[in-house]
Amino acid sequence: MNFNNHISAFSISALLLISLFSCNLTDEKQQENKPLNIIYIMADDHAYQAVSAYGSEVSKLAPTPNIDRIAQQGARMDAVYCTNSICGPSRASILTGKFSHINGFYKNVDGGDFNGEQLTFPKVFQKNGYETAVIGKWHLGTTPTGFDYSKVLINWGGQGTYFKPQFCINGTDTVTETKRHSTKTIEDDCLDWLANKRDTTKPFLLLYQFKAPHRDWRPDSMYHDLFSDFDFPLPETFNDDYEGRLAASENMMEIGRHLNRRDMKQTPPSGLSRRDSMRWLAYGDKGQYWSPNDTLKGDALKYWKFQTYIKDYLRCVAGIDRAVGSVLDYLEENGLSENTIVVYTSDQGFYLGEHGWFDKRWMYEESFKMPFLIKHPRIIEAGTKTDAMVMNVDFAPTLIDMAGIEIPTEMQGKSFKGVFEGDEKNQRQSVYYHYYEWPIWHKVQPHYGIKTNRYKLMHFYYSMDEWELYDLETDPNEMNNIYSEAPEELIENLKHELHELRKKYRDDGSIEEIRRMTDTVIRRVYNEPNKLMK
Ligand code: CA
């Protein structure tokens, strides 16, 4: 090779390098300017204790490696709370960015249907050029609005079933899935929508929502053998006697006394009518301390019910973990990962034996707190952990804010985007709660309350007048109600702050008025699929 050749070879390589470099710069620039897609994943009743990113003992034995990928690549949020810990109301608050009494959907039972004419965050995205879809559990009665595509569970009162789930597509066509488990069906439908159904010229917002792991915890057969060779440890408060907590002592959601035969996957005797068979399966709901055989009694019976319950629950969670993994894989394999915000959460928390319970509804930590993992390729550093206080009414304004769209002023929630941008001053100092449903299911007394960084104050007001106060620093399990012994000044300050929140959110009606909300029966006009087909 002569000198000239050297020069030309050098020039060509340099030119190539320069052009490659500028190409990368242009690509990066384009990537940065591209609108962000959003996948909002929500399970039903998935306790943070059962997400291994949160590190609980239970989750170490039943890890969720795929869900954890979102936390590893983004953030784990440790203080995210719902305003009303029950399925429909939490979903309505998430969609509207408003508290239950404002969006109107404050009870599951006799609480009517969601008013789909009001403003929701999917509508905001749709109006701003996004392709929008919801696939899976909806549970709000009325047909989803604000979506270019919807395929939602409608049987079993909108809960959907694990097997033979029925879906309604775009508010018109009813289909029954006969082969696949509900989680697998929803997973396949989402992948199909991402790959084949959406308009790829637009950014997208996808709500990917599971029925699992809601009661009655029926896992896919591929997970039946999972956890069969060991038992789960009992939580510290498993044998709580509810001393000092009158409302809790009247509950009907104890593992020992209120799990029914259906929950425990018992088979009714043959020859019973359908009605008698349903009754037989529901036996246990009213506190009957039933046993599957004559020898299993007392603590051993409670232990058996707990193991049966938690194993099926966690088998349902394993299905969700797989389904989350396949969508994350799809994003990575199709170059969408760097341009898509992914959220994983649940409509509320859940008891996995803490206080001896299953179910939710209380403002106690396990059901009040929601798991919340979020990956945002542009502003959230991988492996972030934050204890900034956030509420579910904040999800809508935050996602809108993260997409660079103006937040509608009527939303009561507050964007927490600033948490990831070093804006610590502008964060919530406290969160507000209000639960209304009574007495079914589970006889949880209506209550409202406030949580600050350290304390939680609750007022149970419906058929009693009881206050509870917890110091979460010294008593994180909320076993010791210190209301009667705490300094007056502390109680006064908390009551003042609670009053201010109630005023701010326009939930400051008198006790008589809020009791009346519980008593008000609003009939559901919701369409069951068999009615639709008639
Ligand atoms: Ca739920």
Side-chain angles (χ1 to χ4, degrees):
M1 194 185 274
N2 65 27
F3 182 73
N4 280 342
N5 279 347
H6 265 291
I7 293 282
S8 59
F10 171 80
S11 314
I12 288 163
S13 331
L15 271 174
L16 264 174
L17 265 176
I18 288 164
S19 61
L20 271 176
F21 184 64
S22 58
C23 242
N24 276 347
L25 271 184
T26 327
D27 280 356
E28 268 174 32
K29 199 87 204 148
Q30 276 172 352
Q31 194 73 10
E32 267 173 36
N33 292 332
K34 254 181 150 176
L36 288 156
N37 305 305
I38 294 165
I39 299 190
Y40 175 85
I41 314 173
M42 183 158 72
D44 193 340
D45 294 357
H46 192 177
Y48 71 87
Q49 308 93 293
V51 174
S52 47
Y54 284 93
S56 78
E57 287 308 309
V58 166
S59 69
K60 282 178 195 158
L61 296 166
T64 51
N66 287 301
I67 295 171
D68 294 359
R69 280 159 69 185
I70 302 169
Q72 284 151 10
Q73 295 167 19
R76 181 188 92 186
M77 301 194 72
D78 291 351
V80 176
Y81 295 95
C82 58
T83 63
N84 186 356
S85 178
I86 182 168
C87 306
S90 177
R91 287 157 197 269
S93 284
I94 289 166
L95 282 170
T96 58
K98 292 175 183 168
F99 288 87
S100 300
H101 63 289
I102 301 285
N103 70 51
F105 199 90
Y106 60 96
K107 295 189 292 181
N108 264 2
V109 175
D110 296 333
D113 301 292
F114 178 67
N115 170 11
E117 284 175 16
Q118 59 190 316
L119 185 71
T120 62
F121 79 89
K123 286 187 185 175
V124 173
F125 278 93
Q126 194 180 39
K127 210 175 141 197
N128 282 273
Y130 273 71
E131 175 90 344
T132 58
V134 57
I135 295 170
K137 183 160 172 177
W138 177 246
H139 202 204
L140 290 168
T142 44
T143 303
T145 52
F147 298 98
D148 297 300
Y149 179 79
S150 67
K151 183 175 177 183
V152 295
L153 288 161
I154 47 166
N155 60 330
W156 204 253
Q159 291 276 5
T161 42
Y162 284 108
F163 294 98
K164 295 191 184 155
Q166 289 179 306
F167 293 86
C168 189
I169 303 171
N170 295 330
T172 51
D173 304 323
T174 303
V175 290
T176 302
E177 168 62 39
T178 55
K179 294 193 177 71
R180 293 166 298 177
H181 185 266
S182 113
T183 302
K184 180 73 180 139
T185 311
I186 294 165
E187 173 187 359
D188 291 348
D189 286 343
C190 273
L191 291 168
D192 180 42
W193 184 81
L194 283 167
N196 308 312
K197 285 203 169 76
R198 70 189 164 99
D199 177 351
T200 52
T201 62
K202 291 178 172 179
F204 65 83
L205 165 73
L206 169 63
L207 273 57
Y208 180 21
Q209 307 189 150
F210 301 103
K211 182 220 166 40
H214 190 281
R215 194 181 186 186
D216 54 348
W217 318 293
R218 289 186 189 266
D220 197 320
S221 58
M222 70 176 98
Y223 299 112
H224 279 177
D225 292 334
L226 204 57
F227 320 126
S228 56
D229 53 349
F230 67 88
D231 278 355
F232 285 88
L234 299 174
E236 239 178 283
T237 57
F238 189 62
N239 291 313
D240 191 354
D241 62 2
Y242 317 114
E243 197 195 332
R245 290 153 288 156
L246 183 62
S249 72
E250 293 185 349
N251 84 87
M252 288 179 74
M253 51 189 269
E254 286 169 37
I255 290 194
R257 295 194 300 142
H258 302 102
L259 282 170
N260 64 30
R261 286 175 174 146
R262 175 185 281 111
D263 297 325
M264 297 290 99
K265 317 301 179 311
Q266 302 292 293
T267 311
S270 56
L272 291 185
S273 67
R274 185 173 152 74
R275 199 171 158 194
D276 283 345
S277 168
M278 295 295 266
R279 269 193 198 148
W280 190 93
L281 287 167
Y283 189 73
D285 283 345
K286 293 182 180 148
Q288 304 96 333
Y289 209 93
W290 70 273
S291 175
N293 59 54
D294 296 339
T295 50
L296 202 51
K297 287 174 186 156
D299 285 349
L301 176 60
K302 188 175 168 185
Y303 182 87
W304 172 79
K305 286 182 179 173
F306 172 71
Q307 295 299 339
T308 308
Y309 156 58
I310 197 156
K311 287 182 182 183
D312 274 346
Y313 178 97
L314 293 168
R315 288 168 185 142
C316 290
V317 168
I320 298 177
D321 190 62
R322 179 206 66 234
V324 168
S326 62
V327 165
L328 294 177
D329 290 346
Y330 178 88
L331 296 179
E332 282 165 18
E333 287 157 12
N334 291 277
L336 289 163
S337 203
E338 289 311 304
N339 201 38
T340 303
I341 295 171
V342 182
V343 169
Y344 184 84
T345 188
S346 163
D347 55 351
Q348 10 67 210
F350 212 68
Y351 295 92
L352 302 181
E354 298 87 355
H355 302 289
W357 289 336
F358 62 96
D359 211 71
K360 54 247 180 184
R361 297 157 201 273
W362 304 93
M363 198 194 167
Y364 301 122
E365 217 54 12
E366 292 85 353
S367 48
F368 183 29
K369 181 168 155 175
M370 309 163 86
F372 197 93
L373 313 175
I374 181 166
K375 173 170 108 72
H376 184 313
R378 295 185 198 157
I379 64 165
I380 304 180
E381 227 173 280
T384 299
K385 284 178 191 153
T386 169
D387 55 7
M389 279 197 285
V390 158
M391 303 202 63
N392 60 350
V393 290
D394 301 337
F395 300 176
T398 303
L399 293 175
I400 291 170
D401 195 15
M402 283 178 166
I405 302 168
E406 199 179 327
I407 303 165
T409 49
E410 66 178 85
M411 288 189 172
Q412 293 180 297
K414 175 179 167 59
S415 169
F416 57 85
K417 179 173 172 249
V419 167
F420 306 110
E421 296 171 322
D423 180 10
E424 273 158 31
K425 277 193 199 131
N426 194 27
Q427 302 308 321
R428 285 187 181 278
Q429 299 302 306
S430 54
V431 287
Y432 178 65
Y433 188 78
H434 197 161
Y435 172 80
Y436 302 84
E437 198 168 292
W438 169 267
I440 50 173
W441 298 90
H442 308 301
K443 216 177 168 199
V444 173
Q445 184 77 211
H447 58 295
Y448 59 84
I450 181 174
K451 179 191 183 291
T452 64
N453 278 324
R454 178 159 181 188
Y455 296 100
K456 190 185 287 180
L457 178 74
M458 298 183 239
H459 185 205
F460 295 89
Y461 62 81
Y462 182 77
S463 55
M464 57 176 68
D465 180 15
E466 290 283 317
W467 289 85
E468 291 184 14
L469 174 63
Y470 298 94
D471 180 343
L472 299 168
E473 212 168 276
T474 57
D475 178 28
N477 289 335
E478 298 161 297
M479 296 288 279
N480 189 17
N481 174 14
I482 54 167
Y483 184 77
S484 58
E485 69 220 46
E488 242 172 70
E489 199 190 341
L490 172 67
I491 293 179
E492 258 173 45
N493 287 343
L494 285 167
K495 280 191 177 173
H496 175 73
E497 206 174 332
L498 174 59
H499 179 70
E500 291 300 307
L501 285 180
R502 298 193 71 208
K503 247 186 8 200
K504 182 177 172 187
Y505 298 131
R506 289 178 281 146
D507 192 21
D508 53 348
S510 66
I511 295 294
E512 288 69 32
E513 281 167 333
I514 55 178
R515 268 190 202 130
R516 212 174 301 137
M517 285 177 72
T518 292
D519 293 337
T520 303
V521 173
I522 311 168
R523 280 195 40 221
R524 297 199 85 168
V525 288
Y526 163 76
N527 290 321
E528 285 279 344
N530 48 2
K531 287 181 196 157
L532 278 178
M533 284 187 284
K534 266 180 198 167

